[in-house]
Amino acid sequence: MSDDVATLLGGLAALAGATGATTLGIAVARRPRPYLPAAHAIAGGEVADPLPTVLRNGLAGLTVPVRPGPHGELYVGPGAPKPGRTLRRLVLGPLFARAQARGGRLCRDQRAPFRLVVEFAGPNRDAGALLRAYRMLDQQLRDHAPLLSRCVDGDLEAGAVTVTVTGIVDVRELLAEQTHRYAFADGSFDDIGSVTAPPTLVPMVSEQWTRRFGWDGCEPIPAEERHLLHALVRSAHEDGRGVRISGLPTGSRRARQAIWTELSEAGVDVIADADYVALARHLRKHPVRRVIPVAPAVRRPSPSPRRPDVTQSV
């Protein structure tokens, strides 16, 4: 009888130990990842709700395609607008609610703004409709003004979230007319040194990799392309702008890792990829090395409950 009791107690102890180990494993799996300022996710049309995965893996940015829909709302994803799939419901609401609940930061170790790129896409390229859509976005952003990077009378102030607009031809003119705004225009390396597209309007240049480079990561990068990459990044930084590279070749994981490594070593500020979970894993092991610091273009606000103290540039 005593042997049976001992066996039973031993089994219960083993079960408790296994349960504890499982619980610990779940806790470790749910532990928030370190914030990765260089990691940027590109939301694919097949992903119903990308934001939770992006935040859980510590990525510091998201490009999301939107299109105007009924009643002036902006809808996420390809195809006809689907009920409930609005930018406000899937992205803006959860993003700002998280920052508000955490005292103005998306996570405890956030030191750079989360970069939300709103990409106007789709067959409807009517300029008037797109400009009206931007005005809707502008109004939705103003509802969360204390958490946003902004430009006020030519001065930049960094917030928990920086919003960039792309896909609207005339958006620069519209943004430039606003003396107090909460969004910025997307740019390219052609904007470096431009008087009409200063860093206060275009703080980050962004290009598809294949526009200037042919290397696909399968072989060592040609010396000419490496030199060009480093020169472009250095020029952008000296002009007070960050650099975001997207549109990377969709080869093997090994080839993409080779490209990510080259971009990191060149000092590219933001690497954007649809395979963003693997990208985050790679950047945790191989962080971006900044070669030339971006010129101090941000007037940093003093810490307060309504204005987050996120210290890096927009």
Side-chain angles (χ1 to χ4, degrees):
M1 179 68 176
S2 59
D3 291 342
D4 293 340
V5 172
T7 301
L8 177 60
L9 292 177
L12 291 175
L15 178 60
T19 303
T22 302
T23 304
L24 178 61
I26 293 173
V28 170
R30 291 179 177 174
R31 183 181 303 163
R33 302 288 190 179
Y35 191 70
L36 300 168
H40 188 97
I42 298 177
E46 71 283 355
V47 180
D49 189 7
L51 187 61
T53 304
V54 167
L55 295 176
R56 186 168 58 251
N57 283 277
L59 287 95
L62 171 66
T63 294
V64 55
V66 301
R67 65 184 62 207
H71 312 297
E73 278 289 358
L74 301 176
Y75 287 80
V76 174
K82 299 177 182 177
R85 289 189 53 78
T86 65
L87 180 70
R88 189 202 311 250
R89 181 175 182 271
L90 291 181
V91 179
L92 298 183
L95 193 63
F96 293 126
R98 179 186 177 101
Q100 188 71 37
R102 287 164 172 77
R105 294 178 186 271
L106 292 170
C107 56
R108 186 174 57 184
D109 61 339
Q110 183 180 5
R111 292 294 181 271
F114 182 94
R115 293 178 173 91
L116 175 64
V117 179
V118 180
E119 182 180 36
F120 286 82
N124 183 8
R125 309 304 297 171
D126 178 71
L130 291 175
L131 290 177
R132 289 192 295 274
Y134 167 72
R135 292 189 177 94
M136 169 60 71
L137 173 64
D138 181 56
Q139 183 56 54
Q140 293 179 5
L141 294 179
R142 289 176 186 274
D143 292 339
H144 306 281
L147 299 170
L148 286 163
S149 300
R150 73 209 67 186
C151 181
V152 181
D153 296 325
D155 288 323
L156 296 183
E157 299 178 0
V161 179
T162 296
V163 177
T164 298
V165 176
T166 184
I168 302 179
V169 175
D170 299 323
V171 74
R172 291 189 179 188
E173 290 77 4
L174 186 61
L175 289 169
E177 293 173 356
Q178 296 179 297
T179 58
H180 197 146
R181 55 181 166 78
Y182 300 94
F184 300 88
D186 207 19
S188 72
F189 286 113
D190 295 333
D191 291 313
I192 294 175
S194 172
V195 176
T196 58
T200 53
L201 178 63
V202 183
M204 179 164 286
V205 297
S206 170
E207 282 194 5
Q208 300 280 315
W209 172 258
T210 52
R211 181 183 177 190
R212 297 179 190 265
F213 303 95
W215 181 57
D216 61 3
C218 295
E219 303 292 338
I221 184 172
E224 298 82 2
E225 294 204 6
R226 175 179 284 162
H227 176 76
L228 176 61
L229 174 62
H230 283 251
L232 289 171
V233 173
R234 182 168 58 252
S235 296
H237 287 172
E238 290 173 347
D239 198 37
R241 307 176 198 261
V243 177
R244 183 176 77 251
I245 298 294
S246 60
L248 303 178
T250 57
S252 67
R253 177 70 58 81
R254 191 171 193 175
R256 292 201 304 276
Q257 287 175 342
I259 297 175
W260 297 338
T261 298
E262 285 292 339
L263 295 177
S264 298
E265 292 180 352
V268 171
D269 303 272
V270 176
I271 303 172
D273 205 308
D275 190 7
Y276 47 83
V277 175
L279 172 64
R281 188 183 304 118
H282 177 82
L283 288 175
R284 281 194 290 271
K285 298 178 180 178
H286 309 282
V288 167
R289 178 173 62 90
R290 286 299 296 273
V291 180
I292 301 292
V294 173
V298 177
R299 185 184 66 193
R300 295 174 177 83
S302 58
S304 70
R306 290 184 57 78
R307 187 171 286 179
D309 182 25
V310 180
T311 56
Q312 289 192 21
S313 65
V314 296

